[in-house]
Amino acid sequence: STLMRSSAASDVYKRQIIIPHKNIPHLLQRCLKSIPRRKDVQIIIVDDNSDPEIVDFANFPGVLEECVEVYFTKEGKGAGFARNVGLEHAVGRWLIFADADDFFNACFLGSIDAYKDSLYDIVYFGVNSVFSDSLKVTNRDMRINKFVERAISLNDVNSLRFKLYGPVSKMVSRKLVETNSLYFEERIVANDIWFSITSGFYAQRVIADRTKIYCVTVREGSLELFVNRERCDERLSAAFKINDFLKSKGLLKYRFNVCVYLKFYSHFGFIVLVSRFIRIIRHYQGEYLLFMKDLVECFLKLFRKKNADFKHMISKK
């Protein structure tokens, strides 16, 4: 069941921004402040059963604003469930997704306005990245910007479709979502990969814009940085599902290299590492050359990183 508190008008909005939230009202407020208020842009916030000792529900961010709808859920099923609740209530031409601890840049509305009447299914934008507390620059934006630049310079939009695993910094047509019954998985982590890859697959018309409309933040304690066995298993399961989907569509070359998780499983003991190693081998379904290729690629990346870290350490001495 979903409890709703809303003061928004019933008009059909051209753009709707869906934001899941749990227990970080100060960061949600920062995110909201980065969004200029306009009558054709609506914000949908879905609270994922936040703790009343942390969140002041009587003064919840955005709750009294005309262009903001807030849905309070009690299921506590995570950000994927919260985003799906947002999708259920979306009526706009375009959908935009944000995380409560991130924020939009000043060029946001001006940049998306250029595509408001276009026939694209998805518009991909660039991002920048900072540490949440200090706002010092980080490199978490490199992967997204690399694929955006590749799409523009090499006309390779498939990397955007099948290699970008998050829903942020893009405009997605609501018609695309409804026609193909797209949804977010209800996982504790990696809930957005399925939506991102399937929307990329079903999109017929996509375009990349290198304008950095969105800022991805890094903060201590976030799910992205917190690694334990349960979360690793969830990420591995999500990757398996994506790879099975891509294989069924003849797109296995865009697969997720699941061998990368062996590095994380090595922290959980020999028995866990061996059991997940066997599970990963079985996932390749007898394609051992493909498995060896992915495994060698992981080792090479790890070696290059350790070599770069070593050179950096030596240069500082």
Side-chain angles (χ1 to χ4, degrees), residues 121-134:
D121 295 312
I122 304 178
V123 182
Y124 296 87
F125 291 93
V127 301
N128 64 302
S129 178
V130 300
F131 286 103
S132 185
D133 293 336
S134 66

Side-chain angles (χ1 to χ4, degrees), residues 222-233:
S222 67
L223 287 181
E224 187 67 29
L225 298 179
F226 185 75
V227 177
N228 63 25
R229 193 172 72 180
E230 184 182 10
R231 285 181 168 84
C232 277
D233 284 343

Side-chain angles (χ1 to χ4, degrees), residues 53-238:
E53 294 187 4
I54 298 176
V55 176
D56 178 7
F57 288 101
N59 297 286
F60 194 88
V63 75
L64 298 179
E65 294 192 55
E66 183 180 357
C67 62
V68 179
E69 281 191 355
V70 182
Y71 294 88
F72 297 110
T73 69
K74 298 300 180 182
E75 288 80 356
K77 293 183 178 180
F81 172 80
R83 289 187 176 110
N84 286 334
V85 171
L87 288 179
E88 291 176 3
H89 296 282
V91 295
R93 165 72 176 85
W94 292 101
L95 304 176
I96 299 166
F97 299 94
D99 289 334
D101 53 353
D102 296 337
F103 54 89
F104 292 91
N105 295 323
C107 61
F108 166 53
L109 282 186
S111 299
I112 67 173
D113 277 347
Y115 301 96
K116 64 180 180 179
D117 297 319
S118 72
L119 297 178
Y120 293 111
D121 295 312
I122 304 178
V123 182
Y124 296 87
F125 291 93
V127 301
N128 64 302
S129 178
V130 300
F131 286 103
S132 185
D133 293 336
S134 66
L135 299 184
K136 291 183 178 179
V137 174
T138 78
N139 63 356
R140 197 178 165 198
D141 58 343
M142 291 179 61
R143 192 170 191 275
I144 294 177
N145 292 331
K146 179 182 74 173
F147 288 133
V148 168
E149 192 61 40
R150 182 171 180 171
I152 294 171
S153 60
L154 302 179
N155 195 30
D156 177 15
V157 294
N158 281 343
S159 293
L160 292 173
R161 294 174 186 263
F162 307 125
K163 301 294 283 185
L164 286 186
Y165 304 126
V168 302
S169 200
K170 63 181 77 167
M171 289 171 54
V172 181
S173 163
R174 184 173 61 87
K175 183 178 180 181
L176 173 72
V177 173
E178 292 188 345
T179 300
N180 298 285
S181 301
L182 303 181
Y183 64 92
F184 290 84
E185 291 191 284
E186 295 176 8
R187 300 179 182 270
I188 56 173
V189 291
N191 64 79
D192 46 10
I193 298 177
W194 179 253
F195 178 88
S196 298
I197 302 304
T198 53
S199 61
F201 173 78
Y202 289 111
Q204 298 295 312
R205 298 171 295 273
V206 304
I207 190 173
D209 186 320
R210 62 172 60 92
T211 307
K212 298 179 180 180
I213 68 169
Y214 187 85
C215 184
V216 179
T217 67
V218 177
R219 63 188 176 92
E220 186 177 355
S222 67
L223 287 181
E224 187 67 29
L225 298 179
F226 185 75
V227 177
N228 63 25
R229 193 172 72 180
E230 184 182 10
R231 285 181 168 84
C232 277
D233 284 343
E234 279 288 270
R235 292 185 186 279
L236 184 62
S237 176

